[in-house]
Amino acid sequence: MLFKKDKPFPMMETTVRLCKFIGLWHDTDLGKVCWQAKFTLASLTFWYIVPEICFVTRQDRELTIRLKGMIEILAMSIFVVRIGAHVLHRGTLQRCFWDVQETLGQFVDSGHVEVQKMLEHLVSSASFITRSYTTALLCNASLYGDIPALIAIGQYLMGADIETFPPTILEADYVLFEHQSNILVWIPVLLVSIATQYSMLTSLAANECLNWNLLHHVSCLFKMVKFEISHLGECSTSDEFKKRLVKIVTVHDAAYRNALCLETVLSPVMFILYCTFVTKVCAMMLLVTIVDDFFIIAMMLFVTSYQMFLVFSFSMLGTELTEASSAISEAIYQCGWTERTPSEQKLLMFVQMRSQRRVAITVWKFFALGRASFSVAIKTTFQYFTIMRQLCEIEV
């Protein structure tokens, strides 16, 4: 792939288009909230969350159905918080994007094959992640509402007597009308629910892909700093050494600055994500063990796998960021600094001091996001599930 020097580095073009389509990106007015984002947040709140709260509080249902409803309320509330957080920090995320794009643009004319391969990897991987993840998320979402609805419609057309139609995506009580007993009411409610579902999932896919790609791009900035340091030994003159060192310091400062921006945006979101991960997965596992309905089990397994994949992906990217930033200090030590002049050694010492500042995405300052934190979350979830399962057996 050839990058044109007179144009900005083609960074995350597919992700940006998806964010623009769903209203999570605006090129000119960073403070503007697009109508698509307003529609998604309003529809989730008033078409999903409020009717489901009415369902849980007003209806006398068995434990499994009420537990499913409470899990769905928690999930939808977290979705609203995550999309709302993106809208609130959209300016910060876009400034981070432009800063990373400008910094990566400095390497477009690099003669090193390794650098060009890394740039090509960033372009292709960002597009692949966005396209494949969005497609997979929207296709898998059909298990949660589309397939049960199509089966019910097929049974009705074949003459089956259906007194109560299945829930339209989520359990809900619309108070003003009963939508599950009359097919003429049920179908319009179903269509609105499906439209709301896909709007929500598209927003979540855009949000997650943007955050994933930004984390990966910032990690690659640290890797490029390490690569530039490893080639300092090629400098034959002091002026060339200082020129390269200035570039290293500039790129490292940009990487560190943008990592702090992502920490500010993602830290509270990761805290909510981790807390709800343990709660939701534990409750879903309990529900799956006590219910016999195939569709409820399939719905819960979809939500559980999605939640687990989300936490795992952010944990792996958090590990990549921390390891990439930590590797710079070792690269400086191995760059042949003993053969440099005293003034050059002093400059390298300052870079070494800068590189020893720990870079990590934290879970609201409690702990760093990484593989270890994911393992602890899984272990905690199974411990709580075992306790709840034992309590249920005692009560029975």
Side-chain angles (χ1 to χ4, degrees), residues 290-301:
I290 62 178
V291 72
D292 296 327
D293 192 315
F294 169 77
F295 288 115
I296 292 181
I297 293 176
M299 292 174 184
M300 293 299 101
L301 288 177

Side-chain angles (χ1 to χ4, degrees), residues 126-270:
S127 177
F128 174 77
I129 288 172
T130 304
R131 293 176 187 275
S132 59
Y133 179 71
T134 304
T135 303
L137 189 62
L138 295 179
C139 291
N140 290 335
S142 62
L143 296 174
Y144 208 89
D146 298 10
I147 292 179
L150 290 174
I151 292 175
I153 293 174
Q155 292 174 343
Y156 178 82
L157 293 176
M158 294 179 65
D161 186 16
I162 303 178
E163 295 183 359
T164 302
F165 288 91
T168 53
I169 311 299
L170 305 180
E171 304 288 353
D173 180 3
Y174 292 99
V175 182
L176 299 179
F177 54 88
E178 173 55 48
H179 66 290
Q180 291 183 260
S181 58
N182 188 341
I183 191 171
L184 296 180
V185 178
W186 180 75
I187 288 182
V189 173
L190 174 67
L191 294 176
V192 175
S193 298
I194 290 176
T196 302
Q197 179 193 30
Y198 284 108
S199 172
M200 172 194 71
L201 293 176
T202 305
S203 298
L204 291 174
N207 166 259
E208 289 154 11
C209 290
L210 180 65
N211 291 332
W212 287 337
N213 284 317
L214 281 176
L215 280 171
H216 184 52
H217 280 63
V218 173
S219 298
C220 287
L221 280 181
F222 283 110
K223 294 176 183 178
M224 287 185 174
V225 171
K226 177 185 174 182
F227 177 80
E228 289 291 331
I229 291 173
S230 66
H231 284 270
L232 278 176
E234 301 174 359
C235 299
S236 57
T237 64
S238 179
D239 290 340
E240 184 182 357
F241 176 85
K242 291 180 180 179
K243 183 178 179 180
R244 283 205 178 186
L245 199 59
V246 167
K247 182 177 181 180
I248 289 172
V249 172
T250 302
V251 176
H252 183 251
D253 183 62
Y256 186 78
R257 180 174 62 251
N258 288 292
L260 288 180
C261 285
L262 293 177
E263 155 71 5
T264 302
V265 175
L266 294 178
S267 181
V269 176
M270 291 300 105

Side-chain angles (χ1 to χ4, degrees), residues 348-363:
L348 284 173
M349 186 182 300
F350 283 115
V351 178
Q352 176 78 300
M353 292 172 61
R354 288 165 56 90
S355 66
Q356 290 175 347
R357 292 181 293 181
R358 186 168 182 265
V359 177
I361 303 298
T362 65
V363 181

Side-chain angles (χ1 to χ4, degrees), residues 92-139:
T92 302
L93 289 171
Q94 289 190 215
R95 282 189 289 269
C96 177
F97 170 89
W98 291 324
D99 194 4
V100 173
Q101 183 184 47
E102 182 180 359
T103 306
L104 287 173
Q106 300 177 23
F107 295 92
V108 168
D109 58 346
S110 174
H112 295 291
V113 177
E114 295 90 342
V115 173
Q116 293 298 320
K117 286 184 177 180
M118 186 173 293
L119 293 178
E120 292 176 4
H121 159 73
L122 289 174
V123 174
S124 59
S125 64
S127 177
F128 174 77
I129 288 172
T130 304
R131 293 176 187 275
S132 59
Y133 179 71
T134 304
T135 303
L137 189 62
L138 295 179
C139 291

